[in-house]
Amino acid sequence: MAAAPAENRVVLRNISWETFERLSAECVNVAGTHFTYDEGNLEIVSVSLGHELPHHALVTLVDLTAEETERDFVGAGSSTFTRTDLAKSFEADSSFYFRHAAEVRAKDKIDLPIDPSPELIIEVDITRSSLNHFPLYAAIGIAEIWRFDGERVRFHRLEGSGYIPIEESVVLSPMTAAQATVFVERARHEKAPDWWRAVREWVRARCSA
């Protein structure tokens, strides 16, 4: 029997903002379903365990790296971020605030562009989205993206109106794309406490070097 795909993706074209809002509201309580809307293009994604395992590993990397480097942060999960004026909306796999953590900690809802955009998002795209999310993220001002394509983790940093590849995270140094790739793979085979210990030890070693 063939393995289930990590993600099921549907892209609809020429969808009005009103239709997007209606569909999004109808699926608000459907776990594992994400909506991305960009000027008439609507992508609907439902995810399986093959998607969520590397996603969870990357979220834990953020948590442990921030803990070891004593950085304050707020994890906004897959919250919906919307710019009605730009006809853009997205639900990342996970999103995080660092520099603006104190500003958003007590909020129940983010209102862009009044509130700040998240500074780091995680995107797992194993089945290759046909909708390019990067222009949308750039328009909303996401500073950094950690993206896993099923084989490698790649880091991207916003420069001007687009993204450039980087090796070491600017938002969450000293984590690197290469080491994140190693840890995502190790998470598939190691017991959780052993894996957590390895991440912490790596971060401590890099910080003391």
mmCIF file of all heavy atoms in Angstrom, residues 92-138:
data_model
loop_
_atom_site.group_PDB
_atom_site.id
_atom_site.type_symbol
_atom_site.label_atom_id
_atom_site.label_comp_id
_atom_site.label_asym_id
_atom_site.label_seq_id
_atom_site.Cartn_x
_atom_site.Cartn_y
_atom_site.Cartn_z
ATOM 1 N N ALA A 92 0.691 29.941 8.622
ATOM 2 C CA ALA A 92 1.929 29.165 8.543
ATOM 3 C C ALA A 92 1.801 27.915 9.410
ATOM 4 O O ALA A 92 0.909 27.805 10.251
ATOM 5 C CB ALA A 92 3.103 30.014 9.028
ATOM 6 N N ASP A 93 2.711 26.969 9.214
ATOM 7 C CA ASP A 93 2.717 25.817 10.109
ATOM 8 C C ASP A 93 2.971 26.269 11.539
ATOM 9 O O ASP A 93 2.324 25.792 12.474
ATOM 10 C CB ASP A 93 3.777 24.800 9.662
ATOM 11 C CG ASP A 93 3.370 24.097 8.390
ATOM 12 O OD1 ASP A 93 2.285 23.506 8.367
ATOM 13 O OD2 ASP A 93 4.137 24.141 7.410
ATOM 14 N N SER A 94 3.904 27.185 11.726
ATOM 15 C CA SER A 94 4.138 27.817 13.026
ATOM 16 C C SER A 94 4.750 29.189 12.809
ATOM 17 O O SER A 94 5.465 29.412 11.829
ATOM 18 C CB SER A 94 5.069 26.975 13.909
ATOM 19 O OG SER A 94 4.385 25.878 14.469
ATOM 20 N N SER A 95 4.475 30.095 13.722
ATOM 21 C CA SER A 95 5.013 31.446 13.631
ATOM 22 C C SER A 95 5.442 31.912 15.018
ATOM 23 O O SER A 95 4.883 31.479 16.032
ATOM 24 C CB SER A 95 3.971 32.403 13.045
ATOM 25 O OG SER A 95 2.733 32.295 13.739
ATOM 26 N N PHE A 96 6.439 32.812 15.047
ATOM 27 C CA PHE A 96 7.048 33.209 16.312
ATOM 28 C C PHE A 96 7.371 34.701 16.318
ATOM 29 O O PHE A 96 7.756 35.276 15.306
ATOM 30 C CB PHE A 96 8.362 32.443 16.552
ATOM 31 C CG PHE A 96 8.202 30.953 16.595
ATOM 32 C CD1 PHE A 96 8.269 30.211 15.427
ATOM 33 C CD2 PHE A 96 7.993 30.293 17.798
ATOM 34 C CE1 PHE A 96 8.130 28.832 15.453
ATOM 35 C CE2 PHE A 96 7.850 28.925 17.833
ATOM 36 C CZ PHE A 96 7.911 28.183 16.658
ATOM 37 N N TYR A 97 7.226 35.278 17.511
ATOM 38 C CA TYR A 97 7.670 36.636 17.783
ATOM 39 C C TYR A 97 8.829 36.583 18.768
ATOM 40 O O TYR A 97 8.773 35.864 19.766
ATOM 41 C CB TYR A 97 6.547 37.461 18.411
ATOM 42 C CG TYR A 97 5.425 37.821 17.477
ATOM 43 C CD1 TYR A 97 4.337 36.969 17.307
ATOM 44 C CD2 TYR A 97 5.443 39.015 16.759
ATOM 45 C CE1 TYR A 97 3.291 37.302 16.464
ATOM 46 C CE2 TYR A 97 4.404 39.354 15.908
ATOM 47 C CZ TYR A 97 3.327 38.496 15.761
ATOM 48 O OH TYR A 97 2.302 38.831 14.916
ATOM 49 N N PHE A 98 9.847 37.379 18.510
ATOM 50 C CA PHE A 98 10.982 37.507 19.424
ATOM 51 C C PHE A 98 11.114 38.964 19.882
ATOM 52 O O PHE A 98 10.811 39.287 21.028
ATOM 53 C CB PHE A 98 12.272 37.022 18.753
ATOM 54 C CG PHE A 98 12.292 35.534 18.554
ATOM 55 C CD1 PHE A 98 11.733 34.943 17.418
ATOM 56 C CD2 PHE A 98 12.854 34.705 19.510
ATOM 57 C CE1 PHE A 98 11.739 33.573 17.251
ATOM 58 C CE2 PHE A 98 12.863 33.328 19.359
ATOM 59 C CZ PHE A 98 12.306 32.759 18.224
ATOM 60 N N ARG A 99 11.547 39.821 19.013
ATOM 61 C CA ARG A 99 11.741 41.230 19.372
ATOM 62 C C ARG A 99 10.427 41.871 19.814
ATOM 63 O O ARG A 99 10.421 42.761 20.674
ATOM 64 C CB ARG A 99 12.333 41.986 18.178
ATOM 65 C CG ARG A 99 12.684 43.431 18.457
ATOM 66 C CD ARG A 99 13.661 43.959 17.408
ATOM 67 N NE ARG A 99 13.145 43.776 16.048
ATOM 68 C CZ ARG A 99 12.418 44.677 15.397
ATOM 69 N NH1 ARG A 99 12.110 45.819 15.998
ATOM 70 N NH2 ARG A 99 12.016 44.463 14.158
ATOM 71 N N HIS A 100 9.310 41.411 19.249
ATOM 72 C CA HIS A 100 8.005 41.987 19.567
ATOM 73 C C HIS A 100 7.200 41.108 20.525
ATOM 74 O O HIS A 100 5.981 41.285 20.635
ATOM 75 C CB HIS A 100 7.202 42.210 18.284
ATOM 76 C CG HIS A 100 7.836 43.180 17.337
ATOM 77 N ND1 HIS A 100 7.935 44.527 17.605
ATOM 78 C CD2 HIS A 100 8.429 42.996 16.127
ATOM 79 C CE1 HIS A 100 8.541 45.134 16.606
ATOM 80 N NE2 HIS A 100 8.850 44.235 15.695
ATOM 81 N N ALA A 101 7.860 40.187 21.207
ATOM 82 C CA ALA A 101 7.143 39.248 22.077
ATOM 83 C C ALA A 101 6.304 39.964 23.124
ATOM 84 O O ALA A 101 5.134 39.612 23.353
ATOM 85 C CB ALA A 101 8.134 38.291 22.741
ATOM 86 N N ALA A 102 6.870 40.952 23.775
ATOM 87 C CA ALA A 102 6.146 41.652 24.839
ATOM 88 C C ALA A 102 4.902 42.366 24.311
ATOM 89 O O ALA A 102 3.902 42.497 25.031
ATOM 90 C CB ALA A 102 7.072 42.645 25.535
ATOM 91 N N GLU A 103 4.962 42.816 23.052
ATOM 92 C CA GLU A 103 3.832 43.559 22.472
ATOM 93 C C GLU A 103 2.627 42.667 22.203
ATOM 94 O O GLU A 103 1.484 43.140 22.263
ATOM 95 C CB GLU A 103 4.252 44.229 21.167
ATOM 96 C CG GLU A 103 5.336 45.283 21.299
ATOM 97 C CD GLU A 103 5.766 45.804 19.954
ATOM 98 O OE1 GLU A 103 4.879 46.167 19.148
ATOM 99 O OE2 GLU A 103 6.985 45.841 19.685
ATOM 100 N N VAL A 104 2.861 41.393 21.894
ATOM 101 C CA VAL A 104 1.754 40.529 21.463
ATOM 102 C C VAL A 104 1.356 39.494 22.509
ATOM 103 O O VAL A 104 0.354 38.802 22.327
ATOM 104 C CB VAL A 104 2.108 39.816 20.135
ATOM 105 C CG1 VAL A 104 2.457 40.827 19.059
ATOM 106 C CG2 VAL A 104 3.250 38.815 20.320
ATOM 107 N N ARG A 105 2.111 39.376 23.585
ATOM 108 C CA ARG A 105 1.885 38.286 24.538
ATOM 109 C C ARG A 105 0.454 38.253 25.081
ATOM 110 O O ARG A 105 -0.126 37.174 25.249
ATOM 111 C CB ARG A 105 2.893 38.374 25.682
ATOM 112 C CG ARG A 105 2.710 37.303 26.761
ATOM 113 C CD ARG A 105 3.854 37.223 27.727
ATOM 114 N NE ARG A 105 5.001 36.554 27.113
ATOM 115 C CZ ARG A 105 6.135 37.157 26.802
ATOM 116 N NH1 ARG A 105 6.295 38.443 27.033
ATOM 117 N NH2 ARG A 105 7.123 36.484 26.239
ATOM 118 N N ALA A 106 -0.108 39.399 25.375
ATOM 119 C CA ALA A 106 -1.435 39.437 25.991
ATOM 120 C C ALA A 106 -2.570 39.526 24.971
ATOM 121 O O ALA A 106 -3.739 39.570 25.352
ATOM 122 C CB ALA A 106 -1.524 40.606 26.963
ATOM 123 N N LYS A 107 -2.237 39.527 23.689
ATOM 124 C CA LYS A 107 -3.269 39.685 22.663
ATOM 125 C C LYS A 107 -3.953 38.360 22.352
ATOM 126 O O LYS A 107 -3.325 37.301 22.355
ATOM 127 C CB LYS A 107 -2.666 40.263 21.374
ATOM 128 C CG LYS A 107 -2.215 41.712 21.511
ATOM 129 C CD LYS A 107 -1.675 42.237 20.190
ATOM 130 C CE LYS A 107 -1.288 43.704 20.291
ATOM 131 N NZ LYS A 107 -2.479 44.576 20.451
ATOM 132 N N ASP A 108 -5.247 38.440 22.056
ATOM 133 C CA ASP A 108 -5.993 37.268 21.611
ATOM 134 C C ASP A 108 -6.049 37.181 20.091
ATOM 135 O O ASP A 108 -6.340 36.115 19.536
ATOM 136 C CB ASP A 108 -7.422 37.309 22.161
ATOM 137 C CG ASP A 108 -7.465 37.204 23.678
ATOM 138 O OD1 ASP A 108 -6.668 36.429 24.238
ATOM 139 O OD2 ASP A 108 -8.290 37.906 24.296
ATOM 140 N N LYS A 109 -5.786 38.299 19.420
ATOM 141 C CA LYS A 109 -5.830 38.334 17.959
ATOM 142 C C LYS A 109 -4.849 39.374 17.456
ATOM 143 O O LYS A 109 -4.709 40.439 18.050
ATOM 144 C CB LYS A 109 -7.254 38.672 17.483
ATOM 145 C CG LYS A 109 -7.409 38.661 15.969
ATOM 146 C CD LYS A 109 -8.841 38.981 15.576
ATOM 147 C CE LYS A 109 -9.017 38.980 14.061
ATOM 148 N NZ LYS A 109 -10.415 39.306 13.652
ATOM 149 N N ILE A 110 -4.163 39.046 16.371
ATOM 150 C CA ILE A 110 -3.243 39.975 15.728
ATOM 151 C C ILE A 110 -3.979 40.715 14.626
ATOM 152 O O ILE A 110 -4.618 40.093 13.764
ATOM 153 C CB ILE A 110 -2.019 39.247 15.147
ATOM 154 C CG1 ILE A 110 -1.249 38.548 16.256
ATOM 155 C CG2 ILE A 110 -1.116 40.222 14.395
ATOM 156 C CD1 ILE A 110 -0.635 39.468 17.289
ATOM 157 N N ASP A 111 -3.873 42.042 14.653
ATOM 158 C CA ASP A 111 -4.527 42.880 13.658
ATOM 159 C C ASP A 111 -3.453 43.570 12.824
ATOM 160 O O ASP A 111 -2.908 44.605 13.207
ATOM 161 C CB ASP A 111 -5.417 43.914 14.352
ATOM 162 C CG ASP A 111 -6.184 44.793 13.364
ATOM 163 O OD1 ASP A 111 -6.212 44.444 12.169
ATOM 164 O OD2 ASP A 111 -6.753 45.817 13.801
ATOM 165 N N LEU A 112 -3.129 42.976 11.674
ATOM 166 C CA LEU A 112 -2.166 43.585 10.774
ATOM 167 C C LEU A 112 -2.873 44.645 9.934
ATOM 168 O O LEU A 112 -4.029 44.455 9.555
ATOM 169 C CB LEU A 112 -1.545 42.526 9.843
ATOM 170 C CG LEU A 112 -0.806 41.368 10.509
ATOM 171 C CD1 LEU A 112 -0.287 40.413 9.431
ATOM 172 C CD2 LEU A 112 0.342 41.849 11.367
ATOM 173 N N PRO A 113 -2.210 45.759 9.602
ATOM 174 C CA PRO A 113 -0.812 46.092 9.891
ATOM 175 C C PRO A 113 -0.603 46.873 11.181
ATOM 176 O O PRO A 113 0.488 47.387 11.423
ATOM 177 C CB PRO A 113 -0.428 46.938 8.687
ATOM 178 C CG PRO A 113 -1.697 47.683 8.372
ATOM 179 C CD PRO A 113 -2.824 46.729 8.685
ATOM 180 N N ILE A 114 -1.639 47.006 12.009
ATOM 181 C CA ILE A 114 -1.482 47.739 13.272
ATOM 182 C C ILE A 114 -0.482 47.023 14.180
ATOM 183 O O ILE A 114 0.419 47.635 14.759
ATOM 184 C CB ILE A 114 -2.847 47.897 13.976
ATOM 185 C CG1 ILE A 114 -3.799 48.714 13.105
ATOM 186 C CG2 ILE A 114 -2.667 48.548 15.343
ATOM 187 C CD1 ILE A 114 -5.212 48.765 13.627
ATOM 188 N N ASP A 115 -0.648 45.713 14.316
ATOM 189 C CA ASP A 115 0.278 44.911 15.118
ATOM 190 C C ASP A 115 1.453 44.456 14.256
ATOM 191 O O ASP A 115 1.342 44.382 13.030
ATOM 192 C CB ASP A 115 -0.445 43.680 15.689
ATOM 193 C CG ASP A 115 -1.542 44.058 16.663
ATOM 194 O OD1 ASP A 115 -1.310 44.979 17.476
ATOM 195 O OD2 ASP A 115 -2.628 43.445 16.607
ATOM 196 N N PRO A 116 2.573 44.117 14.896
ATOM 197 C CA PRO A 116 3.733 43.650 14.119
ATOM 198 C C PRO A 116 3.510 42.264 13.517
ATOM 199 O O PRO A 116 2.731 41.458 14.047
ATOM 200 C CB PRO A 116 4.860 43.623 15.152
ATOM 201 C CG PRO A 116 4.161 43.451 16.465
ATOM 202 C CD PRO A 116 2.866 44.206 16.337
ATOM 203 N N SER A 117 4.209 42.000 12.424
ATOM 204 C CA SER A 117 4.186 40.668 11.815
ATOM 205 C C SER A 117 5.103 39.733 12.594
ATOM 206 O O SER A 117 6.054 40.187 13.233
ATOM 207 C CB SER A 117 4.672 40.749 10.363
ATOM 208 O OG SER A 117 3.853 41.594 9.605
ATOM 209 N N PRO A 118 4.846 38.427 12.552
ATOM 210 C CA PRO A 118 5.793 37.503 13.183
ATOM 211 C C PRO A 118 7.157 37.600 12.525
ATOM 212 O O PRO A 118 7.263 37.891 11.327
ATOM 213 C CB PRO A 118 5.149 36.128 12.969
ATOM 214 C CG PRO A 118 4.190 36.311 11.847
ATOM 215 C CD PRO A 118 3.726 37.720 11.922
ATOM 216 N N GLU A 119 8.202 37.348 13.308
ATOM 217 C CA GLU A 119 9.565 37.504 12.801
ATOM 218 C C GLU A 119 10.120 36.213 12.209
ATOM 219 O O GLU A 119 11.064 36.243 11.418
ATOM 220 C CB GLU A 119 10.463 37.993 13.930
ATOM 221 C CG GLU A 119 10.106 39.398 14.391
ATOM 222 C CD GLU A 119 10.261 39.567 15.890
ATOM 223 O OE1 GLU A 119 11.399 39.469 16.381
ATOM 224 O OE2 GLU A 119 9.246 39.782 16.566
ATOM 225 N N LEU A 120 9.549 35.086 12.590
ATOM 226 C CA LEU A 120 10.016 33.787 12.091
ATOM 227 C C LEU A 120 8.821 32.899 11.844
ATOM 228 O O LEU A 120 7.913 32.813 12.683
ATOM 229 C CB LEU A 120 10.944 33.129 13.122
ATOM 230 C CG LEU A 120 11.349 31.668 12.869
ATOM 231 C CD1 LEU A 120 12.189 31.551 11.603
ATOM 232 C CD2 LEU A 120 12.101 31.105 14.068
ATOM 233 N N ILE A 121 8.797 32.251 10.692
ATOM 234 C CA ILE A 121 7.774 31.239 10.438
ATOM 235 C C ILE A 121 8.436 29.939 9.995
ATOM 236 O O ILE A 121 9.530 29.943 9.416
ATOM 237 C CB ILE A 121 6.726 31.677 9.393
ATOM 238 C CG1 ILE A 121 7.356 31.867 8.019
ATOM 239 C CG2 ILE A 121 5.997 32.928 9.832
ATOM 240 C CD1 ILE A 121 6.314 32.048 6.923
ATOM 241 N N ILE A 122 7.763 28.849 10.289
ATOM 242 C CA ILE A 122 8.176 27.520 9.847
ATOM 243 C C ILE A 122 7.206 27.061 8.771
ATOM 244 O O ILE A 122 5.980 27.160 8.937
ATOM 245 C CB ILE A 122 8.183 26.533 11.019
ATOM 246 C CG1 ILE A 122 9.328 26.858 11.973
ATOM 247 C CG2 ILE A 122 8.292 25.087 10.527
ATOM 248 C CD1 ILE A 122 9.308 26.049 13.248
ATOM 249 N N GLU A 123 7.756 26.572 7.673
ATOM 250 C CA GLU A 123 6.945 26.059 6.575
ATOM 251 C C GLU A 123 7.461 24.685 6.174
ATOM 252 O O GLU A 123 8.628 24.544 5.797
ATOM 253 C CB GLU A 123 6.992 27.018 5.381
ATOM 254 C CG GLU A 123 6.137 26.552 4.210
ATOM 255 C CD GLU A 123 6.094 27.558 3.087
ATOM 256 O OE1 GLU A 123 6.978 27.507 2.210
ATOM 257 O OE2 GLU A 123 5.181 28.409 3.078
ATOM 258 N N VAL A 124 6.610 23.686 6.282
ATOM 259 C CA VAL A 124 6.928 22.342 5.807
ATOM 260 C C VAL A 124 6.170 22.133 4.508
ATOM 261 O O VAL A 124 4.940 22.207 4.474
ATOM 262 C CB VAL A 124 6.536 21.269 6.849
ATOM 263 C CG1 VAL A 124 6.791 19.870 6.287
ATOM 264 C CG2 VAL A 124 7.315 21.476 8.141
ATOM 265 N N ASP A 125 6.905 21.905 3.433
ATOM 266 C CA ASP A 125 6.294 21.774 2.102
ATOM 267 C C ASP A 125 6.946 20.582 1.407
ATOM 268 O O ASP A 125 7.870 20.738 0.610
ATOM 269 C CB ASP A 125 6.492 23.059 1.309
ATOM 270 C CG ASP A 125 5.773 23.023 -0.037
ATOM 271 O OD1 ASP A 125 5.084 22.021 -0.306
ATOM 272 O OD2 ASP A 125 5.906 23.982 -0.804
ATOM 273 N N ILE A 126 6.454 19.409 1.717
ATOM 274 C CA ILE A 126 7.048 18.175 1.200
ATOM 275 C C ILE A 126 6.503 17.827 -0.183
ATOM 276 O O ILE A 126 7.221 17.300 -1.033
ATOM 277 C CB ILE A 126 6.805 17.022 2.198
ATOM 278 C CG1 ILE A 126 7.552 17.331 3.511
ATOM 279 C CG2 ILE A 126 7.267 15.680 1.629
ATOM 280 C CD1 ILE A 126 7.263 16.352 4.629
ATOM 281 N N THR A 127 5.239 18.149 -0.420
ATOM 282 C CA THR A 127 4.625 17.786 -1.699
ATOM 283 C C THR A 127 4.714 18.900 -2.737
ATOM 284 O O THR A 127 4.118 18.793 -3.800
ATOM 285 C CB THR A 127 3.153 17.392 -1.489
ATOM 286 O OG1 THR A 127 2.458 18.467 -0.837
ATOM 287 C CG2 THR A 127 3.046 16.138 -0.649
ATOM 288 N N ARG A 128 5.447 19.972 -2.424
ATOM 289 C CA ARG A 128 5.741 21.055 -3.357
ATOM 290 C C ARG A 128 4.488 21.848 -3.718
ATOM 291 O O ARG A 128 3.727 21.515 -4.618
ATOM 292 C CB ARG A 128 6.396 20.532 -4.655
ATOM 293 C CG ARG A 128 7.616 19.665 -4.447
ATOM 294 C CD ARG A 128 8.760 20.439 -3.782
ATOM 295 N NE ARG A 128 9.999 19.679 -3.819
ATOM 296 C CZ ARG A 128 10.353 18.763 -2.924
ATOM 297 N NH1 ARG A 128 9.553 18.495 -1.926
ATOM 298 N NH2 ARG A 128 11.510 18.131 -3.031
ATOM 299 N N SER A 129 4.292 22.939 -3.011
ATOM 300 C CA SER A 129 3.152 23.813 -3.266
ATOM 301 C C SER A 129 3.262 24.429 -4.657
ATOM 302 O O SER A 129 4.332 24.808 -5.103
ATOM 303 C CB SER A 129 3.111 24.920 -2.215
ATOM 304 O OG SER A 129 2.132 25.873 -2.551
ATOM 305 N N SER A 130 2.129 24.537 -5.326
ATOM 306 C CA SER A 130 2.110 25.206 -6.632
ATOM 307 C C SER A 130 1.875 26.702 -6.473
ATOM 308 O O SER A 130 1.882 27.444 -7.454
ATOM 309 C CB SER A 130 1.006 24.605 -7.520
ATOM 310 O OG SER A 130 -0.262 24.735 -6.912
ATOM 311 N N LEU A 131 1.665 27.134 -5.225
ATOM 312 C CA LEU A 131 1.496 28.561 -4.949
ATOM 313 C C LEU A 131 2.740 29.054 -4.221
ATOM 314 O O LEU A 131 3.083 28.571 -3.147
ATOM 315 C CB LEU A 131 0.256 28.782 -4.075
ATOM 316 C CG LEU A 131 -0.130 30.237 -3.787
ATOM 317 C CD1 LEU A 131 -0.510 30.950 -5.076
ATOM 318 C CD2 LEU A 131 -1.299 30.296 -2.795
ATOM 319 N N ASN A 132 3.438 29.997 -4.844
ATOM 320 C CA ASN A 132 4.656 30.542 -4.257
ATOM 321 C C ASN A 132 4.287 31.472 -3.105
ATOM 322 O O ASN A 132 3.722 32.544 -3.319
ATOM 323 C CB ASN A 132 5.454 31.296 -5.319
ATOM 324 C CG ASN A 132 6.776 31.827 -4.788
ATOM 325 O OD1 ASN A 132 7.133 31.621 -3.626
ATOM 326 N ND2 ASN A 132 7.515 32.502 -5.646
ATOM 327 N N HIS A 133 4.622 31.070 -1.884
ATOM 328 C CA HIS A 133 4.247 31.847 -0.706
ATOM 329 C C HIS A 133 5.187 33.017 -0.428
ATOM 330 O O HIS A 133 4.825 33.941 0.307
ATOM 331 C CB HIS A 133 4.228 30.952 0.533
ATOM 332 C CG HIS A 133 3.222 29.857 0.474
ATOM 333 N ND1 HIS A 133 3.116 28.879 1.452
ATOM 334 C CD2 HIS A 133 2.256 29.555 -0.434
ATOM 335 C CE1 HIS A 133 2.157 28.039 1.155
ATOM 336 N NE2 HIS A 133 1.617 28.427 0.010
ATOM 337 N N PHE A 134 6.399 32.968 -0.971
ATOM 338 C CA PHE A 134 7.411 33.945 -0.574
ATOM 339 C C PHE A 134 7.014 35.405 -0.878
ATOM 340 O O PHE A 134 7.245 36.282 -0.041
ATOM 341 C CB PHE A 134 8.758 33.603 -1.204
ATOM 342 C CG PHE A 134 9.511 32.527 -0.453
ATOM 343 C CD1 PHE A 134 8.845 31.604 0.342
ATOM 344 C CD2 PHE A 134 10.891 32.448 -0.537
ATOM 345 C CE1 PHE A 134 9.532 30.624 1.044
ATOM 346 C CE2 PHE A 134 11.597 31.462 0.160
ATOM 347 C CZ PHE A 134 10.909 30.547 0.955
ATOM 348 N N PRO A 135 6.435 35.719 -2.051
ATOM 349 C CA PRO A 135 6.021 37.112 -2.273
ATOM 350 C C PRO A 135 4.982 37.579 -1.255
ATOM 351 O O PRO A 135 5.000 38.745 -0.831
ATOM 352 C CB PRO A 135 5.445 37.077 -3.699
ATOM 353 C CG PRO A 135 6.146 35.935 -4.353
ATOM 354 C CD PRO A 135 6.287 34.910 -3.277
ATOM 355 N N LEU A 136 4.094 36.687 -0.857
ATOM 356 C CA LEU A 136 3.101 37.025 0.166
ATOM 357 C C LEU A 136 3.792 37.326 1.494
ATOM 358 O O LEU A 136 3.494 38.337 2.147
ATOM 359 C CB LEU A 136 2.110 35.865 0.314
ATOM 360 C CG LEU A 136 0.918 36.020 1.255
ATOM 361 C CD1 LEU A 136 -0.182 35.037 0.880
ATOM 362 C CD2 LEU A 136 1.290 35.796 2.719
ATOM 363 N N TYR A 137 4.711 36.445 1.909
ATOM 364 C CA TYR A 137 5.419 36.657 3.169
ATOM 365 C C TYR A 137 6.224 37.952 3.142
ATOM 366 O O TYR A 137 6.298 38.675 4.137
ATOM 367 C CB TYR A 137 6.365 35.487 3.448
ATOM 368 C CG TYR A 137 5.693 34.154 3.655
ATOM 369 C CD1 TYR A 137 6.354 32.968 3.330
ATOM 370 C CD2 TYR A 137 4.415 34.057 4.180
ATOM 371 C CE1 TYR A 137 5.750 31.728 3.528
ATOM 372 C CE2 TYR A 137 3.801 32.827 4.367
ATOM 373 C CZ TYR A 137 4.480 31.661 4.043
ATOM 374 O OH TYR A 137 3.884 30.438 4.237
ATOM 375 N N ALA A 138 6.831 38.253 1.998
ATOM 376 C CA ALA A 138 7.617 39.481 1.878
ATOM 377 C C ALA A 138 6.719 40.711 2.005
ATOM 378 O O ALA A 138 7.075 41.696 2.657
ATOM 379 C CB ALA A 138 8.364 39.502 0.546
#
